[in-house]
Amino acid sequence: MTLPVTGTAALFLSVVFGFAFGFLLHRGRVADYNTIVRQFLFQDFTVLKIMMTAIIVGGVGVFLMVQFGYAKFHIKPADLLAVSLGAALFGVGMVLYGYCPGTALAAIGGGSLHALVGAGGMLVGGIVYALTFDWVKATILPVGALGRVQLHTLLGISPWAIFAALAVVALTLFVAVERASAKRA
Amino acid sequence: MSLQTTLDYRPAAARAGLIIDWTPYLVGIGIGVLSWVVFLVVNNPLGITTALSQVSGAVATPVLGAEAVARNSYWARNLFSLDYGTLFLVGTLAGGFGSAVLAGSFRFEQVPTVWAERFGPSPLKRYAAAFLGGIIAMYGARLANGCTSGNGISGGLQLALSGWVFLAVMFATGTATAFAMFRTAR
């Protein structure tokens, strides 16, 4: 088998990978409004635990694969104004909605009707973005456009140093959170 | 296990004693490993909203006309088709369904507990907020060129600057919004 897989086989696999993603999100309780909103209220740290673990485990593997030539990076451009404004809106929208786009889909699969209604809103948001895209492209995207930058090249250090630091931060947070929740129980 | 006196926020099925939850660390490892697999096997990071904007183009077609959609400079490069991204969405939806059915936890939910405690049991109120939130989240995700999956997880794990800026800013405004909305909650 030659990698990457393309054509019909890749289409079939994309459903399989999507299924795994939705299954994991649902089993991890992040396809649940309560879990997501309580993360932002610092009452439940499930979201951060999942994301930090995924980033560290995923990152170490992907960097190794790139280093040995088995994978390529797919870095999005750091258009700093657009990313900041977009992320600011996203945070507000995510808390109002109670889901992010991926967890929303898994939640709809689990029977959440308000996630389904909000998905209608996401489609409207997509339409509004397409209709305003020319303006966004001309006025917002060029501001602070740094290109496809990665942190380790920006800081001039080894990526492994960053992953080591992330692991220390994550472990410290996880231990603190687990201790606090054991005390409450 | 002792009975808890505090409110239980888990889904009804979990409260009923069905074991549906995996530890978040296991799920995080699972998503990390899934990232390796998609990078290796299909040369693509995990992501949701690029494909979702393709779907929005398909939905807009009957209203705006096929020609207007094709002429739009954004949809022109994100045209709807049954490709890797859109089929991944189908899979994610099915994965949530599959997990819920296998766990016996599939329930139609109109108003979640945390919302009901603060804003009451009206489904209409909840739907209005979800719809508005969906619009804002999607517009933001497209402006940022990715959501929690594409920018946050996939960008974060590649140490992309855009991913880490996205994570920091969205956690900040999300936290501010949550505290503003639920300030009377415990």
Side-chain angles (χ1 to χ4, degrees):
Chain A
M1 190 173 73
T2 50
L3 295 174
V5 174
T6 52
T8 318
L11 296 183
F12 171 74
L13 284 175
S14 74
V15 180
V16 175
F17 296 153
F19 188 94
F21 191 49
F23 195 95
L24 286 165
L25 293 175
H26 189 266
R27 287 293 152 128
R29 285 196 311 127
V30 283
D32 181 357
Y33 172 97
N34 298 320
T35 308
I36 294 198
V37 169
R38 295 180 77 236
Q39 169 67 68
F40 285 102
L41 293 168
F42 298 103
Q43 295 169 348
D44 180 324
F45 285 83
T46 304
V47 174
L48 268 183
K49 289 178 199 169
I50 291 179
M51 289 193 68
M52 293 185 80
T53 311
I55 285 173
I56 294 167
V57 171
V60 168
V62 168
F63 269 78
L64 280 174
M65 288 195 299
V66 170
Q67 197 162 327
F68 290 103
Y70 291 104
K72 285 192 197 97
F73 284 127
H74 296 267
I75 308 295
K76 292 171 187 285
D79 302 325
L80 287 189
L81 181 62
V83 173
S84 308
L85 282 178
L89 286 173
F90 187 84
V92 175
M94 180 170 170
V95 170
L96 262 178
Y97 187 7
Y99 302 101
C100 62
T103 55
L105 291 176
I108 295 168
S112 169
L113 296 174
H114 55 113
L116 182 63
V117 172
M122 288 202 290
L123 292 178
V124 172
I127 293 170
V128 176
Y129 185 71
L131 296 178
T132 55
F133 178 67
D134 286 330
W135 175 81
V136 167
K137 192 181 170 190
T139 55
I140 298 180
L141 292 187
V143 182
L146 298 188
R148 301 175 189 274
V149 194
Q150 285 170 291
L151 292 179
H152 57 288
T153 48
L154 199 70
L155 300 171
I157 56 176
S158 159
W160 305 114
I162 299 182
F163 282 116
L166 281 176
V168 170
V169 171
L171 282 174
T172 311
L173 178 82
F174 296 163
V175 168
V177 167
E178 298 301 347
R179 275 204 187 134
S181 77
K183 215 175 274 179
R184 268 202 309 276
Chain B
M1 208 173 80
S2 63
L3 279 174
Q4 286 186 310
T5 47
T6 49
L7 272 168
D8 194 340
Y9 293 101
R10 290 172 303 159
R15 290 200 295 272
L18 290 166
I19 301 160
I20 64 158
D21 304 342
W22 292 356
T23 154
Y25 306 117
L26 180 64
V27 171
I29 291 169
I31 293 174
V33 172
L34 183 63
S35 284
W36 306 348
V37 175
V38 294
F39 267 88
L40 178 69
V41 178
V42 286
N43 188 28
N44 240 318
L46 296 171
I48 295 286
T49 49
T50 306
L52 214 49
S53 69
Q54 292 173 262
V55 178
S56 77
V59 170
T61 303
V63 187
L64 302 173
E67 212 178 295
V69 170
R71 246 189 298 118
N72 178 280
S73 51
Y74 187 72
W75 280 319
R77 53 186 202 189
N78 292 293
L79 266 186
F80 180 79
S81 68
L82 289 178
D83 58 14
Y84 177 80
T86 51
L87 288 170
F88 189 87
L89 301 183
V90 175
T92 305
L93 210 118
F97 180 69
S99 167
V101 168
L102 283 175
S105 73
F106 185 91
R107 303 279 190 284
F108 287 116
E109 178 187 81
Q110 293 196 305
V111 185
T113 324
V114 170
W115 175 275
E117 274 174 36
R118 175 72 176 92
F119 298 105
S122 157
L124 222 65
K125 230 170 154 180
R126 173 63 205 130
Y127 289 166
F131 193 80
L132 181 66
I135 296 176
I136 298 171
M138 181 65 179
Y139 194 91
R142 286 297 81 211
L143 186 56
N145 196 15
C147 62
T148 338
S149 310
N151 246 331
I153 293 179
S154 299
L157 71 85
Q158 295 182 87
L159 303 181
L161 176 62
S162 63
W164 285 97
V165 170
F166 180 86
L167 282 171
V169 176
M170 79 96 161
F171 262 105
T173 61
T175 301
T177 308
F179 275 87
M181 280 176 71
F182 295 92
R183 62 190 178 280
T184 61
R186 283 150 291 117

